[in-house]
Amino acid sequence: MSVLDAATAERARAWAAGDVDENDRAALLALLARAEDGERAAAAEVASALAGDLEFGTAGLRGALGPGSSRMNRAVVVRAAAGLAEHLLRHAAPAGAEGSAEGGAEGSAPLCVIGYDARRGSAQFARDTAAVMTAAGVRALLLPRALPTPVLAFAVRHLDADAGVMVTASHNPPQDNGYKVYLGGRCTPGGGPTGAEDPGRGAQIVPPADAQIAAAIAAQPPAAEVPRAEDGWSVLGGEVLEAYLAAVSALPGPPPADGRRAALRVVLTPVHGVGGAVVVEALRRAGVTDVTVVPEQADPDPDFPTTAFPNPEEPGVLDLALALARSREADLVIAVDPDADRCAVAVPDPAREGGWRPLSGDELGAVLGEHTASGGLGGLPAGAVLACSLVSSSLLGRIAAAHGLGHAETLTGFKWISRAPGLVFGYEEAIGYCVAPRLVRDKDGVSAAVVVAALAADLLAGQGGRAADGRGLLAVLDRLAVEHGVHATGQVSVRVEDLSLITAAMARLRAQPPAELAGAPVERVDDLARGSVETTGVPATDGLRWTTADGARVVVRPSGTEPKLKCYLEVVTPVGAGAGGDGGAEAALSTAREAAGQRLQALAAQVRSLLAL
């Protein structure tokens, strides 16, 4: 006896009939048969698989692999590619025009470049996209193999493409995959001929393009009815990767003659992703040649066998790299996430248990921001801007002001950070860094790795030794703390089963904001949902920001990808004048850090109480 309602069963049969993958079709029909035989678990799985369409939001699609309209699968990808192709034909040149296959051109057919990582289904999804684009009259260029997301983002600008598709779920768990969309060329304001510049050229999509593409996808027929070419697209050779490596490895300038970069001892983990060989080669070309890759995590593996969640920020993900670094007496640990668009580092610190200290996203963001502002990556143009998301540390703004540069605060995500006019450096606290926006208008873990390694080599050479004394990058953080105060940041996140609890909590916090935080009066309350660029500095978004008289700050917002309410905390503690030379200065800094840590803990406890979840 069926335990599945008739409407859901009919949707399942219709989806299976329109599927393009025999295995997915068979799996869905098998589940349906079990549900109609009375198996409740199968019925729940069918209902979940058909619970609406997988939402195409800003940047594209992401979800669990499996059959059905709410999962990532070939049928969903085929319909998504058809909707994107329709958008390109509407907003770029008319279909059918002749054009070069090597780059965009006025009057030619739209051009889309497609990349993919090593997750399950990625290569097939990329080929399906190329087949749909080609049949629709869009010129499709496929990257030659599984490569990092930044290589695809670079290719969109380098080839002056009208769009880019990257099949990846970044650092999501192994059961997921995704479909990330970039626009460029004639699909960006003022786009067209190569060299026409716009902050959004080669960036991830934002409104209204995301809604327009979503509407085009929704209007597509079942996947089996979408035309797909058997051939006709081009598979690129190594020229794009070569151009990317040449540009990225040149960012820190030629290796100094004293061999300081070759002397830097680096341990690298690509966390089972596609970044290992590319990062090693980029470092080698930049002069950093002593690089040991964590063997257990070196090769692409869609199962991510050494970690349940392949994000370098997650506890335990760096354990193998840190153990190897201790055994090799390394100077620096570098980790990139599976698609290599994020970068994390750890440095020796004898004061820490285990002798190593991972830097937070805000800490590395401050180091790279200071390096950029000081001219470490070359001279800066007039109107140069450092940018970060509104949930990242306010320290970057102080760094920008100290160097006479502009500072922009944006909504979360590089789709917004990358669009800051005059951008020369941007970052977000979730270990994403854009050190070369002229090359890649997105976060890029490969270029960040090259820049931070070269900087670490310079700092250690200046101090005349290895990093065992805990200096190098930590010395930059010490100096910034003395100049601008200790900026301690943290998070409070609450996961819920019932999303209405988040809605209720946001309503309650809007109605009753706190009068004080961490012992200081709240002097400013920003309801980001009611704000505007003019009033709050960012476009309207569902969030609250409280700022105290002494610089402490809390930003509260619902997560865009998980059933969580997330709170981003920051306290700022000045460093008092030290007495008795270097020892006194170190003591003053240590005292300020301890005080900041205590204030941050108190603030976190207060925020948890305010949330009442």
Side-chain angles (χ1 to χ4, degrees):
M1 180 177 180
S2 177
V3 289
L4 190 67
D5 65 272
T8 301
E10 182 57 32
R11 287 201 305 275
R13 291 189 184 92
W15 182 267
D19 208 328
V20 295
D21 188 277
E22 293 182 4
N23 292 330
D24 283 347
R25 182 187 304 114
L28 184 57
L29 290 177
L31 277 172
L32 179 60
R34 287 160 51 195
E36 292 182 326
D37 283 343
E39 186 179 322
R40 294 190 178 278
E45 181 62 23
V46 172
S48 176
L50 277 299
D53 292 339
L54 188 61
E55 182 179 353
F56 188 93
T58 299
L61 302 165
R62 191 170 293 187
L65 291 161
S69 60
S70 66
R71 303 281 193 260
M72 271 297 294
N73 51 64
R74 292 184 65 197
V76 165
V77 166
V78 164
R79 297 183 74 243
L84 177 59
E86 183 178 307
H87 180 85
L88 298 179
L89 292 167
R90 185 179 298 126
H91 290 85
E98 296 289 325
S100 166
E102 296 181 355
E106 288 286 345
S108 63
L111 175 65
C112 180
V113 59
I114 304 158
Y116 56 98
D117 66 8
R119 285 177 177 266
R120 293 191 189 92
S122 289
Q124 181 64 61
F125 295 161
R127 288 192 295 270
D128 285 335
T129 299
V132 171
M133 292 287 174
T134 301
V138 175
R139 293 173 296 142
L141 301 178
L142 194 63
L143 291 183
R145 57 184 173 86
L147 287 167
T149 291
V151 177
L152 182 280
F154 170 83
V156 175
R157 292 172 65 85
H158 180 69
L159 299 174
D160 198 25
D162 299 301
V165 170
M166 182 67 194
V167 182
T168 181
S170 192
H171 55 264
N172 274 38
Q175 63 267 25
D176 290 354
N177 212 328
Y179 197 83
K180 195 172 182 180
V181 176
Y182 299 79
L183 292 180
R186 293 157 295 186
C187 286
T188 52
T194 301
E197 190 50 77
D198 176 84
R201 189 169 73 88
Q204 298 175 49
I205 57 174
V206 295
D210 56 348
Q212 293 167 349
I213 297 170
I217 293 170
Q220 298 304 311
E225 299 176 22
V226 173
R228 286 177 290 146
E230 294 292 330
D231 53 33
W233 59 87
S234 297
V235 178
L236 293 165
E239 61 275 10
V240 170
L241 178 59
E242 173 60 32
Y244 172 77
L245 287 169
V248 165
S249 61
L251 287 172
D258 62 8
R260 62 183 63 178
R261 292 184 193 170
L264 187 75
R265 200 173 293 159
V266 176
V267 166
L268 169 71
T269 174
V271 195
H272 303 293
V274 297
V278 176
V279 175
V280 169
E281 178 61 14
L283 289 171
R284 186 193 68 77
R285 294 187 185 201
V288 180
T289 54
D290 189 350
V291 180
T292 303
V293 181
V294 175
E296 299 92 335
Q297 298 175 326
D299 297 327
D301 188 332
D303 292 326
F304 307 114
T306 66
T307 175
F309 197 68
N311 181 349
E313 290 184 292
E314 290 292 312
V317 174
L318 294 184
D319 285 357
L320 290 171
L322 295 176
L324 183 58
R326 283 189 286 269
S327 70
R328 292 201 70 249
E329 297 184 349
D331 302 307
L332 184 68
V333 166
I334 298 175
V336 291
D337 69 341
D339 71 326
D341 66 347
R342 288 174 169 84
C343 175
V345 305
V347 296
D349 186 350
R352 293 294 181 99
E353 183 178 355
W356 279 80
R357 172 183 167 186
L359 299 189
S360 72
D362 281 321
E363 287 175 326
L364 186 54
V367 168
L368 292 174
E370 171 68 17
H371 185 54
T372 303
S374 302
L377 298 179
L380 300 178
V385 167
L386 309 182
C388 61
S389 65
L390 62 88
V391 301
S392 300
S393 174
S394 61
L395 178 56
L396 189 69
R398 299 194 184 198
I399 291 171
H403 289 276
L405 304 178
H407 175 247
E409 192 173 64
T410 76
L411 295 180
T412 56
F414 264 85
K415 55 187 175 283
W416 299 111
I417 296 169
S418 66
R419 283 176 161 78
L423 182 70
V424 294
F425 170 75
Y427 94 95
E428 61 182 0
E429 45 73 40
I431 61 172
Y433 312 96
C434 178
V435 299
R438 71 185 186 279
L439 302 177
V440 175
R441 213 75 185 188
D442 198 3
K443 55 187 174 291
D444 181 352
V446 182
S447 60
V450 169
V451 171
V452 76
L455 174 59
D458 287 344
L459 292 168
L460 294 176
Q463 293 163 10
R466 307 217 68 82
D469 59 355
R471 294 301 85 198
L473 298 177
L474 295 182
V476 179
L477 290 173
D478 288 349
R479 178 168 57 80
L480 291 173
V482 171
E483 292 179 7
H484 305 296
V486 174
H487 287 62
T489 59
Q491 286 191 33
V492 171
S493 295
V494 180
R495 182 181 291 272
V496 300
E497 297 295 330
D498 182 357
L499 288 175
S500 68
L501 295 175
I502 291 179
T503 303
M506 291 297 293
R508 184 177 68 254
L509 295 173
R510 283 189 167 96
Q512 299 176 317
E516 63 85 23
L517 289 170
V522 174
E523 66 175 11
R524 177 166 178 168
V525 175
D526 292 319
D527 185 344
L528 302 176
R530 299 177 181 175
S532 65
V533 174
E534 290 73 24
T535 59
T536 64
V538 294
T541 187
D542 187 11
L544 297 165
R545 180 171 57 194
W546 307 318
T547 308
T548 69
D550 64 355
R553 186 193 66 183
V554 174
V555 178
V556 184
R557 71 177 187 94
S559 170
T561 57
E562 299 177 276
K564 284 183 177 181
L565 189 59
K566 303 182 77 171
C567 306
Y568 302 82
L569 321 179
E570 181 175 41
V571 299
V572 182
T573 301
V575 178
D582 291 344
E586 288 183 7
L589 181 56
S590 177
T591 298
R593 284 210 166 103
E594 183 177 357
Q598 292 172 349
R599 288 192 65 213
L600 189 64
Q601 289 182 355
L603 180 59
Q606 184 179 1
V607 167
R608 289 189 187 95
S609 177
L610 287 169
L611 295 181
L613 290 174

